[in-house]
Amino acid sequence: STAEQQRNIIGESKKMMEIMSTVDKVAKTQASVLITGESGTGKELIAEAIHERSLRNGFPFIKVNLGSIPSALFESEMFGHLKGAFTGAHADRVGRFEAAHTGTIFLDEIGELDLDCQVKLLRVLQEKTFEQLGSIKTQKTDVRVIAATNRDLVERMGSGGFREDLYYRINLLHIHLPPLRERRDDIPALVKYFINNVAKLYSADVPYLDDETNEWLSNQEYKGNIRQLKNLVERTFLMNLDSKDLTKKNFLPAFNISSSNDSKKIGLNLQEMEVDAIKKALAKHSHSI
C-alpha cells in the first residue's frame, strides 16, 4: 500500500503529494537523481524511497556523507584499498562503490567535495570503472547514483567551486524538497508520527494534543526543518512523561532550547531525560523488559 511505502515520509500537502508522485516516476528509471533542499528536510528519506521503489530494491543502499570524508581519504573510502597500499593500510578495504554494486549509492552533501575529488568521482561515473588503491586491476561498477546537497550548486559552478560536467552527470533528474515553513499543513501529521514513535519506544501512553496546540506548532519557524521538529517533539515528550496531554506550555521550554545554539548542554540534558524515561518505563513494567 502507499501508506506502507511512505512509511517514513509523512505528508498530505499538495507539495509532498507531488514529490511522492515524482519519486514513483523517477524510481522506475536508472537515471541519476539530484535531491536539493535545506538541511533537515528529509533528503535521505527521499533517496531511500527511490531505492525501495526501484528495480534495485533487493540490493544494497549505501549512504556516503561526503562532507565528513577528508580529501586525503577520499579514494580509499570510495574505491577501497589493498593491504599495504599506503602507510597504515593494515588490511584490504572494500570501497563504497564496490559495496553498492548492483544497488544504489547515495552521495550526501555532494556540494562539499573539493575540485580534486570531484574529478575522481566524475571519472567513475563516466567510465563506470575504478581501481582500488594499490591494485592495477580495473573493477566494473554498476550502481545507481543519488546525490543530495543543501548548497546552491549552480552558484558554486558560477564561482568555479563545482564542475559543470559533474553537475550535469548527477542532475539528470532533480527533486527539490521544500522547507517545513512551505508545507505547514503537514506539521500536525509529523508531530503525531514522532509522538507515537517515541511513546512506543518508551512503552508510554500517547499524550493528547488539542487543535490549538497543533495550530500553534504549525505556525512556528523551524530553521532546522523536520529534524528540528522531531527533536522538539521527542524532548517535550521526555520532559513531560507523565502528562496525559501536551499543550503550548509544555512545548515552549524545549522550543527555546531547540532554536538556540547551546547544543552541548542540551545533549547532556537529553541523556539525563532518556535515562529517567527508561527508568520509568522499567518501573511501569516491574523491570520485566
Side-chain angles (χ1 to χ4, degrees), residues 153-280:
L153 294 186
V154 175
E155 189 182 70
R156 286 208 68 198
M157 284 194 305
S159 62
F162 202 84
R163 291 183 63 102
E164 207 170 313
D165 44 9
L166 178 59
Y167 177 74
Y168 291 116
R169 175 71 53 179
I170 58 173
N171 188 24
L172 274 174
L173 298 169
H174 178 213
I175 293 177
H176 180 72
L177 291 186
L180 201 47
R181 62 185 171 275
E182 287 176 20
R183 45 176 290 215
R184 295 187 183 278
D185 302 0
D186 289 334
I187 290 176
L190 284 160
V191 169
K192 188 179 171 189
Y193 175 75
F194 295 141
I195 278 192
N196 288 345
N197 275 1
V198 73
K200 201 161 138 193
L201 188 65
Y202 292 108
S203 311
D205 298 329
V206 177
Y208 172 74
L209 271 71
D210 60 20
D211 292 346
E212 199 185 333
T213 308
N214 270 316
E215 194 177 334
W216 179 79
L217 282 168
S218 300
N219 286 320
Q220 300 312 305
E221 281 308 308
Y222 298 97
K223 289 193 173 73
N225 292 298
I226 297 172
R227 195 178 294 138
Q228 184 185 348
L229 179 67
K230 178 175 189 278
N231 212 320
L232 169 75
V233 168
E234 290 177 357
R235 186 173 286 130
T236 303
F237 178 88
L238 290 171
M239 284 159 88
N240 300 277
L241 260 186
D242 300 325
S243 305
K244 294 272 176 282
D245 49 19
L246 295 176
T247 62
K248 174 182 166 180
K249 187 174 91 261
N250 301 108
F251 280 96
L252 272 171
F255 202 94
N256 296 333
I257 294 172
S258 81
S259 39
S260 84
N261 292 324
D262 202 359
S263 55
K264 278 209 176 67
K265 227 163 60 201
I266 296 160
L268 242 150
N269 296 350
L270 198 58
Q271 273 177 327
E272 286 164 15
M273 283 188 254
E274 289 195 319
V275 168
D276 192 43
I278 291 164
K279 282 180 182 161
K280 283 184 176 164

Side-chain angles (χ1 to χ4, degrees), residues 16-75:
M16 282 318 284
M17 294 312 241
E18 282 167 11
I19 284 170
M20 291 321 291
S21 128
T22 306
V23 163
D24 273 336
K25 290 179 196 133
V26 161
K28 294 180 176 73
T29 74
Q30 294 289 343
S32 51
V33 186
L34 178 64
I35 305 169
T36 55
E38 290 176 13
S39 199
T41 44
K43 296 186 286 292
E44 185 180 344
L45 285 180
I46 294 293
E48 282 175 6
I50 293 170
H51 173 71
E52 279 169 17
R53 298 167 192 213
S54 76
L55 295 170
R56 296 176 180 261
N57 69 356
F59 300 95
F61 176 82
I62 301 291
K63 183 197 173 200
V64 191
N65 183 334
L66 294 174
S68 66
I69 299 176
S71 298
L73 295 179
F74 179 77
E75 284 177 282

